[in-house]
Amino acid sequence: MNAQTLQKKLSDLPLERLRYFESVGSTNDEALAWAASGAPDLSLVIADEQTSGRGRLNRKWFTPKGTALAFSLILRSPAPALLPRTVGLAALSIADSLLVHQLAARIKWPNDVLVNGRKAGGVLIETVWSGTEIDSLVIGMGINVQRDSVPPAEDLQFPATSLEEELGRALDREEFLHDVLSAFIARRPQLGTDAFMKDWEDLLAFRGERVQIRVNESETHTGELLGIDSRGALRLRNEHGNVVTAQVGDVSLRPAA
Ligand code: ADP
């Protein structure tokens, strides 16, 4: 992977600008700084390695050199009402691209992409503010392509896998990147539609199963996962038979013991 081959592979997409790094701390950090200094809509930061990649809640996201996809897309002036849906848009774009390879992905709400029940990719969305308005969004995606991109089991709270492991064959990283970006751009205009929400809900992992949502140290909800509402909040039926919702935010979802 290098800047030239990437430019060529992505040349049919309406990407405004591209910055490639052989190694970077975090593509989201680069993209946040770039967005703050005026990067246009659909600018892309991509790295062959992240040395301090982040998950949510400042958890670490592993991106060993030459094995994975780590990139961040900048969206300018997002419609505030649709913000909570953007994480679904990113996860669905990865799922769309996996379907091309006959892999049925599921979305572990809100931000993880599972293949055969194991985590193969994640999404981290961060915001650039201008006063009280959202100026731009940075959509970070990390995808485990080769087997060596999977962190050691002792570093994981949830099992992980790679696309090549699931496919049993090699996968061209640049081509897969192209497919994910292309799916994202194609789906973006549908963000406000019911059809989009249905596509997202149809792919939810653990639907109909008992899960636990951990909001913080002292607040957890356990119940049957029913679906998502129009804002992308997760709907659960708790032990008392009441429907409760959890907003897209820094909450963690696990299958209930
Ligand atoms: P979750 O949504 O599962 O709570 P995050 O989305 O915040 O987790 O992702 C960070 C977590 O993902 C880390 O704590 C680590 O356990 C796990 N992780 C880190 N890198 C990878 C990777 N390349 N593939 C799969 N899982 C990873």
Side-chain angles (χ1 to χ4, degrees):
M1 185 183 280
N2 61 55
Q4 269 171 346
T5 55
L6 278 168
Q7 290 278 9
K8 210 169 146 196
K9 265 273 160 54
L10 305 178
S11 61
D12 67 321
L13 299 177
L15 295 175
E16 210 46 56
R17 308 268 302 274
L18 187 152
R19 281 187 183 169
Y20 168 75
F21 296 86
E22 266 183 29
S23 181
V24 82
S26 138
T27 58
N28 261 32
D29 286 345
E30 290 295 333
L32 285 166
W34 194 14
S37 65
D41 188 57
L42 291 183
S43 293
L44 179 72
V45 175
I46 170 153
D48 200 32
E49 172 186 35
Q50 290 188 113
T51 53
S52 44
R54 283 181 283 116
R56 297 174 313 144
L57 302 164
N58 274 324
R59 292 186 190 123
K60 218 170 134 51
W61 185 267
F62 292 80
T63 315
K65 192 165 187 56
T67 62
L69 281 170
F71 57 94
S72 300
L73 193 60
I74 295 168
L75 302 189
R76 293 218 80 103
S77 313
L82 300 179
L83 284 182
R85 297 186 176 200
T86 310
V87 65
L89 173 63
L92 266 176
S93 313
I94 300 175
D96 286 345
S97 311
L98 286 170
L99 214 49
V100 175
H101 300 279
Q102 281 83 45
L103 285 182
R106 287 282 174 271
I107 299 170
K108 181 164 85 65
W109 183 92
N111 69 321
D112 292 323
V113 177
L114 308 184
V115 180
N116 292 321
R118 294 191 288 169
K119 190 149 130 186
V123 176
L124 177 69
I125 299 193
E126 295 182 292
T127 314
V128 178
W129 293 87
S130 163
T132 54
E133 308 256 291
I134 292 183
D135 174 78
S136 40
L137 287 185
V138 164
I139 322 289
M141 298 193 227
I143 305 171
N144 299 339
V145 179
Q146 299 173 14
R147 288 167 197 257
D148 288 346
S149 62
V150 179
E154 61 266 25
D155 290 334
L156 296 173
Q157 290 138 30
F158 194 89
T161 188
S162 66
L163 302 186
E164 292 196 350
E165 188 172 337
E166 298 302 325
L167 282 168
R169 64 171 168 82
L171 184 69
D172 185 307
R173 278 188 299 159
E174 292 173 348
E175 212 159 287
F176 195 73
L177 168 70
H178 173 278
D179 292 352
V180 174
L181 293 170
S182 168
F184 187 97
I185 291 163
R187 278 198 183 264
R188 188 181 182 191
Q190 309 163 0
L191 201 56
T193 67
D194 293 345
F196 168 81
M197 293 309 291
K198 182 173 185 313
D199 287 353
W200 183 7
E201 192 170 59
D202 281 348
L203 289 195
L204 285 183
F206 310 116
R207 218 168 163 201
E209 295 173 33
R210 255 169 61 84
V211 297
Q212 191 177 64
I213 301 283
R214 191 167 178 279
V215 181
N216 55 42
E217 291 292 321
S218 54
E219 190 183 348
T220 57
H221 301 284
T222 305
E224 180 193 344
L225 195 160
L226 299 175
I228 41 182
D229 71 11
S230 63
R231 289 179 52 84
L234 196 73
R235 299 171 58 247
L236 294 186
R237 190 190 313 282
N238 69 15
E239 291 92 300
H240 310 294
N242 301 323
V243 176
V244 294
T245 56
Q247 304 300 322
V248 174
D250 286 334
V251 297
S252 299
L253 181 152
R254 297 283 180 272

